[in-house]
């Protein structure tokens, strides 16, 4: 078994401390596997997917009721759109593609949650996968990724679920091996 060396902080004078991720909930909620079952089943509901209004230039979304107190979303992706690098503030989750194909780029390393603005990532931490209609993936509490619709002509649609409901999302920029915290969003920023 190989061990991945964690990302190493690059000092940034005068940097504010990042908000900590939400603590694990006292009551057990749905597991990543249960969230994956939910998003796959929901993505297969053609009538529900057809209700999502699609905009030619902007992502659209509708909040859904997820299992066991989770937060869920149906999201439309115009051609050439994406999320940018982000995490889920300590929530675990899953997503599945309901239409089209999405690409997920992720980092196979656990990032520190506090005390850094810029990290230099080690070689070999990048992962990439394509998720076509009906395909999905689950992830744990420390997942950092970006999701993209690389099609030049077709919308993609996906279903996402998170538990506990997202307390925050950290947004990052990336230049080569350097990952930089750019912004922290709260639920009121996207609801």
């Amino acid at each position: 078994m190989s061990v991945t060396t964690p990302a190493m902080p690059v000092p940034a004078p005068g940097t504010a401390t990042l908000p900590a991720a939400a603590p694990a909930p006292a009551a057990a909620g749905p597991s990543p596997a249960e969230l994956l079952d939910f998003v796959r089943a929901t993505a297969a509901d053609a009538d529900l997917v057809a209700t999502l209004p699609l905009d030619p230039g902007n992502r659209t979304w509708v909040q859904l009721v997820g299992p066991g107190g989770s937060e869920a979303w149906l999201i439309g992706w115009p051609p050439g759109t994406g999320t940018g690098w982000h995490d889920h503030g300590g929530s675990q989750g899953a997503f599945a593609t309901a239409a089209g194909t999405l690409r997920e780029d992720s980092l196979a390393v656990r990032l520190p949650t506090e005390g850094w603005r810029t990290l230099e990532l080690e070689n070999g931490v990048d992962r990439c996968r394509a998720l076509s209609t009906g395909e999905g993936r689950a992830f744990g509490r420390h997942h950092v990724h970006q999701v993209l619709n690389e099609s030049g002509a077709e919308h993609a649609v996906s279903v996402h679920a998170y538990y506990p409901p997202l307390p925050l999302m950290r947004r990052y920029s990336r230049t080569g091996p350097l990952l930089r915290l750019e912004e922290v969003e709260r639920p009121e920023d996207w609801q």
Side-chain angles (χ1 to χ4, degrees), residues 4 10 16 21 23 33 35 37 46 86 89 101 109 147 160 181 186-189:
T4 303
V10 174
L35 293 173
D37 289 344
H86 66 281
T101 299
V109 63
V147 179
H160 302 246
L181 175 70
R186 306 268 178 209
E188 56 270 17
D189 297 326

Side-chain angles (χ1 to χ4, degrees), residues 107-130:
L107 300 176
V109 63
R110 184 174 174 170
L111 301 179
T113 58
E114 296 183 21
W116 67 276
R117 296 287 296 182
T118 304
L119 292 175
E120 184 171 350
L121 302 170
E122 299 287 330
N123 288 331
V125 299
D126 288 293
R127 302 292 182 267
C128 181
R129 71 178 71 198

Side-chain angles (χ1 to χ4, degrees), residues 10-15 18 85-86 107 111 116-121 144 170-183:
V10 174
T15 301
L18 299 178
W85 288 96
H86 66 281
L107 300 176
L111 301 179
W116 67 276
R117 296 287 296 182
T118 304
L119 292 175
E120 184 171 350
L121 302 170
V144 176
R170 293 179 197 89
R171 298 228 173 247
Y172 306 98
S173 62
R174 176 131 186 232
T175 306
L178 295 179
L179 186 71
R180 179 175 178 76
L181 175 70
E182 296 292 343
E183 178 179 17

Side-chain angles (χ1 to χ4, degrees), residues 82-172:
T83 60
W85 288 96
H86 66 281
D87 69 21
H88 304 96
S91 294
Q92 59 194 13
F95 72 97
T97 304
T101 299
L102 293 171
R103 184 182 97 200
E104 181 197 32
D105 298 327
S106 62
L107 300 176
V109 63
R110 184 174 174 170
L111 301 179
T113 58
E114 296 183 21
W116 67 276
R117 296 287 296 182
T118 304
L119 292 175
E120 184 171 350
L121 302 170
E122 299 287 330
N123 288 331
V125 299
D126 288 293
R127 302 292 182 267
C128 181
R129 71 178 71 198
L131 298 158
S132 297
T133 300
E135 296 180 318
R137 63 110 67 239
F139 51 84
R141 297 184 186 279
H142 303 284
H143 191 64
V144 176
H145 70 167
Q146 66 176 351
V147 179
L148 307 130
N149 177 5
E150 294 184 300
S151 172
E154 295 183 20
H155 262 80
V157 176
S158 58
V159 179
H160 302 246
Y162 309 99
Y163 187 82
L166 296 173
L168 59 88
M169 288 176 64
R170 293 179 197 89
R171 298 228 173 247
Y172 306 98

